[in-house]
Amino acid sequence: NEILGRSQKQNIVNEINLPEKTVTSNIELVNVFNDYFTDVGPKLAEKIEYEHNCSLRDFIPQHEPVERFIFQPVNVATVYRLITKLTISKATGIDEISAKVLKAAAPAIAEPLTRIFDMSIATDRFPMEWKAARKQNILSEHQFGFRQFHSTTTTLLDCTNEWYINMDRGLYNTVVLLDLKKAFDTVNHEILLRKFERYGFGNKALDLLSNYLTNRTQRCQLNGMLSDQRGITCGIPQGSILGPLLFIIYINDLPNCLKHTTPRMFADDTSFTAVGKTLNEAEEIANKDLKNIKVWLSSDKLSLNIAKTEYILIGSRSKINSMDVQPTVKIDTCPIKRVKSAKVLGVEIDENLNWEKHIEYIASKVSSGIGALKKLKEFVDRDTLVLVYNALIQPHFD
C-alpha cells in the first residue's frame, strides 16, 4: 500500500455506540457484530410486504423429468482429484485446517471423506461440524455467474453487442442496474427448497438440502476475539462451495417475470434492457417490467435497494444530446436515479459506449503500478520487477 500510495485501513474496533449503551469490551464488541450479521437477513425479510396473489407457479413451470434428480454416490478417485485441485490461497474454515494441509493429506483422507460423503447422501443428513461458517439444464440462459464457460467477459460482450445493434438501428437502450438489498443474507430456505422441488429434485435430494440449510450457526471474529455462536434462520452459507449455486437457483426464475425487457444476471449483479424507438416507449417498457420485478421480489422475500439502483440511457451521441425531457423510470412511486456512466462488472460504461471513462480508469491504475516499479527498481532484480509487473499492471490489460 505504501508503494502504491494507498492509505492503509485500520481494522481494529474499540467502541460501538448503541442506543442504550456504549460497548467497549472485546467480547461484547464481537457479539454485537455477530448479532447484527445473524439478524440482518430475517429483519429485512420481515419488512417485505408479501404479494398474496402470486406464487412460484407464476414464475417456475413444473419440471417433469424422466427421472427425479437424486444425489449420486461418489468414489475415492473423484474425491482425491478434487482435493488436489483446492486453491491454497483460500481462507480456512472455523476448523482452521488450510487447503495446503488438505492437499498434502489427500492420499490419507480421500477414502474416509468418500465414506462420509456417501453416508451423508444415503441418510439425507449433513454433518453438523460442516454447518459452522466463518445433468439437467435448469439454469436460465440469462445467468452468467458461477457457470462453466461463462464469465464477466461473456456477460459484457453479450450486453454491449445488443446495445451497439440497437444504437445502429436508431433505438434507445434504457439499462436498469438493479441492486438487491443483502441478497445472499435474505434467501428464504423454505422458498429455496420449493424451487428445487419445482425443478425436479426428488424427496431424498430435498431432504439432504434441507438438512444442509437447517441448524446452521456462525461466529464473528474481531480484534482477535471469537463471538458466541448464533443460529442462522435464513440466507445462503457464504464462502461455501454450494453457496453461489444455491443463490443463482434462488433467483433463476427472475427472467420469467419480465415480459418486455432483456435481463442479464451475474450472481446478484442484475440488469435489464428496455428498448424503444422513442424515449417514451423505452421509459414505458422499463416501468412495466419494474412493476413485474416488484411482484417477483415480494414473492421471493427479497428487496431492492432503491438508493443504489440506477439506470443509464444508452444511444447514439446525436440522440442523447437532442433529448429535451428527462425520462422518469420508477418502481412504485420511487424514482430511480439516472446516471451518465456506471461500473458494470468492473467496466465503466457510458451512455455513448465510447469507453473514455474506462480508459481513464485503466490509465490511472496502470500509472499507479508504474510508479511502484520506479520505486522498486533500485532495490530488486529484474525477475522481481517482472513479478510486480504481472501482479500490478498486466491484469488491467487482460
Side-chain angles (χ1 to χ4, degrees):
N1 285 325
E2 185 177 347
I3 293 173
L4 292 173
R6 298 172 181 167
S7 59
Q8 291 184 322
K9 295 181 179 179
Q10 297 294 326
N11 294 320
I12 297 176
V13 178
N14 296 316
E15 180 179 290
I16 294 179
N17 293 316
L18 300 177
E20 64 278 8
K21 65 176 180 177
T22 298
V23 177
T24 56
S25 75
N26 280 337
I27 186 61
E28 284 187 289
L29 284 169
V30 72
N31 280 313
V32 166
F33 272 92
N34 195 47
D35 290 346
Y36 170 79
F37 289 122
T38 304
D39 295 337
V40 64
K43 286 183 177 179
L44 186 57
E46 287 175 1
K47 298 178 182 178
I48 299 171
E49 295 181 7
Y50 183 68
E51 293 281 349
H52 295 283
N53 59 345
C54 67
S55 70
L56 292 182
R57 295 182 181 86
D58 298 326
F59 307 114
I60 309 177
Q62 181 72 51
H63 284 240
E64 294 295 345
V66 177
E67 294 182 3
R68 284 278 180 179
F69 176 87
I70 60 173
F71 289 105
Q72 299 291 340
V74 296
N75 56 64
V76 176
T78 300
V79 172
Y80 178 83
R81 176 173 55 82
L82 293 173
I83 294 174
T84 58
K85 286 187 175 182
L86 290 173
T87 305
I88 62 174
S89 61
K90 295 291 185 181
T92 64
I94 204 164
D95 56 14
E96 297 187 352
I97 301 175
S98 69
K100 187 175 182 179
V101 170
L102 292 174
K103 292 180 76 169
I109 65 175
E111 184 173 348
L113 279 178
T114 302
R115 292 178 184 173
I116 293 173
F117 297 152
D118 284 342
M119 187 173 291
S120 178
I121 293 170
T123 61
D124 311 325
R125 294 292 179 267
F126 201 83
M128 283 297 296
E129 290 78 4
W130 294 354
K131 295 184 183 182
R134 211 185 51 154
K135 258 223 164 187
Q136 184 178 342
N137 184 20
I138 62 175
L139 293 181
S140 168
E141 63 180 1
H142 303 290
Q143 175 61 258
F144 291 81
F146 308 115
R147 298 180 63 187
Q148 190 175 21
F149 307 124
H150 291 71
S151 65
T152 55
T153 301
T154 58
T155 313
L156 289 164
L157 286 172
D158 185 67
C159 60
T160 53
N161 182 60
E162 181 196 1
W163 299 336
Y164 274 125
I165 290 173
N166 291 335
M167 288 169 65
D168 289 341
R169 293 174 177 171
L171 304 174
Y172 289 97
N173 298 283
T174 299
V175 183
V176 181
L177 307 170
L178 303 173
D179 189 281
L180 300 179
K181 188 183 294 184
K182 298 289 182 182
F184 278 76
D185 294 322
T186 52
V187 169
N188 182 280
H189 295 167
E190 181 183 348
I191 294 174
L192 176 61
L193 291 170
R194 294 208 320 261
K195 291 192 177 194
F196 272 109
E197 191 274 331
R198 297 285 293 178
Y199 286 128
F201 275 55
N203 289 336
K204 288 184 71 64
L206 290 171
D207 287 344
L208 180 57
L209 284 170
S210 176
N211 188 264
Y212 173 74
L213 291 168
T214 55
N215 298 322
R216 299 197 72 89
T217 60
Q218 78 169 28
R219 304 175 80 176
C220 186
Q221 186 170 343
L222 179 71
N223 298 345
M225 184 74 68
L226 205 58
S227 73
D228 296 334
Q229 199 161 259
R230 285 286 309 273
I232 302 172
T233 58
C234 69
I236 292 298
Q238 298 187 50
S240 64
I241 298 297
L242 272 182
L245 176 61
L246 294 177
F247 181 76
I248 64 176
I249 289 291
Y250 196 77
I251 65 169
N252 190 56
D253 56 307
L254 185 153
N256 297 341
C257 82
L258 301 176
K259 308 301 181 186
H260 314 284
T261 58
T262 304
R264 289 177 182 86
M265 303 183 294
F266 194 94
D268 61 335
D269 284 314
T270 304
S271 68
F272 68 80
T273 301
V275 182
K277 294 180 181 178
T278 65
L279 200 56
N280 286 339
E281 183 183 7
E283 173 190 317
E284 182 180 351
I285 289 172
N287 286 330
K288 282 182 179 178
D289 266 350
L290 278 169
K291 289 182 180 178
N292 294 330
I293 283 177
K294 181 183 181 297
V295 173
W296 180 86
L297 288 170
S298 176
S299 70
D300 280 43
K301 296 190 176 181
L302 296 174
S303 55
L304 204 62
N305 190 334
I306 300 294
K308 292 185 178 180
T309 295
E310 304 169 333
Y311 82 92
I312 179 171
L313 193 62
I314 296 176
S316 65
R317 191 180 298 272
S318 60
K319 276 192 167 292
I320 298 297
N321 291 340
S322 63
M323 286 170 42
D324 54 1
V325 292
Q326 173 82 359
T328 303
V329 179
K330 60 185 179 180
I331 184 163
D332 275 349
T333 57
C334 299
I336 293 175
K337 180 175 65 175
R338 179 190 170 194
V339 294
K340 294 184 177 295
S341 66
K343 186 167 284 189
V344 179
L345 298 176
V347 175
E348 198 76 31
I349 301 290
D350 60 63
E351 56 190 4
N352 302 129
L353 296 184
N354 60 23
W355 309 108
E356 290 177 2
K357 289 274 188 182
H358 189 65
I359 292 170
E360 290 175 5
Y361 170 77
I362 294 296
S364 173
K365 290 293 184 180
V366 170
S367 176
S368 176
I370 292 173
L373 286 178
K374 288 181 178 178
K375 292 179 181 179
L376 287 172
K377 68 179 182 179
E378 302 295 332
F379 308 101
V380 299
D381 57 23
R382 180 183 175 86
D383 290 342
T384 303
L385 288 175
V386 170
L387 288 174
V388 174
Y389 170 84
N390 288 333
L392 300 181
I393 299 176
Q394 181 60 41
H396 295 296
F397 296 113
D398 292 339

